[in-house]
């Protein structure tokens, strides 16, 4: 599953340190042939390129998620459930934004994802779009994602709520879970302060 950070860079750094500084007979460069050294250099170069691409993707994911987080905070300031969403083209162009407004509007169907979906207007196809949401989508919103064929879902976090992520994965939807501490804290604080509204939002009995 794609990651939202550059942890691979740290792994490569550790590998480099191990190879260059270890004095053990199994790891020191002194025991390697010239051919081995060339192979390692090629591998590191390839791994570095892959890592660079992933880091660029991570920065793009962070940019997209920041827009959804701003929507979540807007919803919270209005007295609503802090779940924000945004829809992007695969090339990064913003299509629409939205946030959970079921409390503000008295409409239980307006979740963050559905609000962004409505604000996107009619689309000929959704197969080049990314649904971005600060929290793992509930079954209702997961159904929307599946129904209209979104190929990718970027999720701020799934610790507070897992929703339909595994179900979406089972249909080949690419799920990118950023595990954002900001999103985790935002949602956890709200659930702790308003458990009744939260349970109502996800259709659970208190």
């Amino acid at each position: 599953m794609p990651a939202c950070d550059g942890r691979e860079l740290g792994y490569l750094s550790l590998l480099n340190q191990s190879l260059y500084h270890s004095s053990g007979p199994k790891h020191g460069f002194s025991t390697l042939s010239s051919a081995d050294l060339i192979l390692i250099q090629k591998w590191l170069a390839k791994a570095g390129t892959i890592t660079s691409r992933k880091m660029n993707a991570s920065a793009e994911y962070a940019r997209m998620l920041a827009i959804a987080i701003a929507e979540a905070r807007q919803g919270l300031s209005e007295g609503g459930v802090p779940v924000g969403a945004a829809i992007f083209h695969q090339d990064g162009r913003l299509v629409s934004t939205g946030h959970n407004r079921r409390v503000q509007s008295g409409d239980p169907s307006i979740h963050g994802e559905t609000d962004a979906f409505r604000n996107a207007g009619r689309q000929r196809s959704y197969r080049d779009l990314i649904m971005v949401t600060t929290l793992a989508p509930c079954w209702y919103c997961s159904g929307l994602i599946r129904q209209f064929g979104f190929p990718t879902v970027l999720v701020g976090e799934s610790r507070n709520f897992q929703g339909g992520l595994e179900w979406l994965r089972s249909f080949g939807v690419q799920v990118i879970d950023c595990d954002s501490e900001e999103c985790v804290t935002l949602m956890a604080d709200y659930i702790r302060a308003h458990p009744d509204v939260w349970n109502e939002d996800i259709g659970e009995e208190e």
Side-chain angles (χ1 to χ4, degrees):
M1 180 179 66
C4 278
D5 55 41
R7 284 175 293 182
E8 291 89 349
L9 185 62
Y11 300 151
L12 287 171
S13 177
L14 289 173
L15 175 62
N16 278 318
Q17 291 177 32
S18 174
L19 287 171
Y20 278 102
H21 300 299
S22 174
S23 58
K26 293 184 179 179
H27 301 289
F29 267 156
S30 61
T31 65
L32 299 175
S33 68
S34 297
D36 287 334
L37 288 173
I38 291 172
L39 285 174
I40 288 174
Q41 289 169 354
K42 287 181 177 179
W43 182 86
L44 288 173
K46 181 179 179 181
T49 299
I50 293 172
T51 298
S52 176
R53 288 174 181 169
K54 288 186 177 181
M55 288 183 69
N56 289 337
S58 296
E60 184 68 356
Y61 296 156
R63 180 186 71 84
M64 292 178 175
L65 183 59
I67 292 174
I69 290 174
E71 284 287 330
R73 293 197 178 281
Q74 175 65 30
L76 182 63
S77 72
E78 297 168 355
V81 180
V83 176
I87 296 174
F88 291 86
H89 285 283
Q90 292 284 347
D91 63 10
R93 288 176 292 140
L94 178 65
V95 176
S96 65
T97 62
H99 56 269
N100 189 304
R101 293 190 292 110
R102 64 192 314 277
V103 173
Q104 302 92 305
S105 300
D107 183 346
S109 70
I110 308 181
H111 286 201
E113 298 90 332
T114 60
D115 195 35
F117 180 77
R118 289 173 175 175
N119 291 336
R122 293 174 60 186
Q123 302 287 323
R124 289 185 61 85
S125 173
Y126 296 86
R127 285 164 175 75
D128 184 44
L129 301 181
I130 301 172
M131 175 67 80
V132 181
T133 177
T134 56
L135 182 68
C138 65
W139 288 105
Y140 166 49
C141 296
S142 294
L144 181 152
I145 291 165
R146 170 65 178 152
Q147 171 70 32
F148 291 94
F150 283 86
T152 305
V153 181
L154 178 66
V155 177
E157 66 105 350
S158 61
R159 282 191 246 169
N160 286 299
F161 182 68
Q162 290 75 47
L165 291 187
E166 289 305 319
W167 182 73
L168 288 171
R169 288 188 180 107
S170 74
F171 286 104
V173 176
Q174 181 186 36
V175 176
I176 303 167
D177 190 341
C178 292
D179 195 29
S180 161
E181 289 294 341
E182 182 177 3
C183 290
V184 170
T185 300
L186 184 65
M187 199 68 244
D189 288 348
Y190 184 85
I191 292 172
R192 186 164 46 250
H194 306 282
D196 54 335
V197 180
W198 168 245
N199 286 325
E200 178 191 334
D201 189 69
I202 60 173
E204 294 287 345
E205 296 292 334
E206 296 184 34

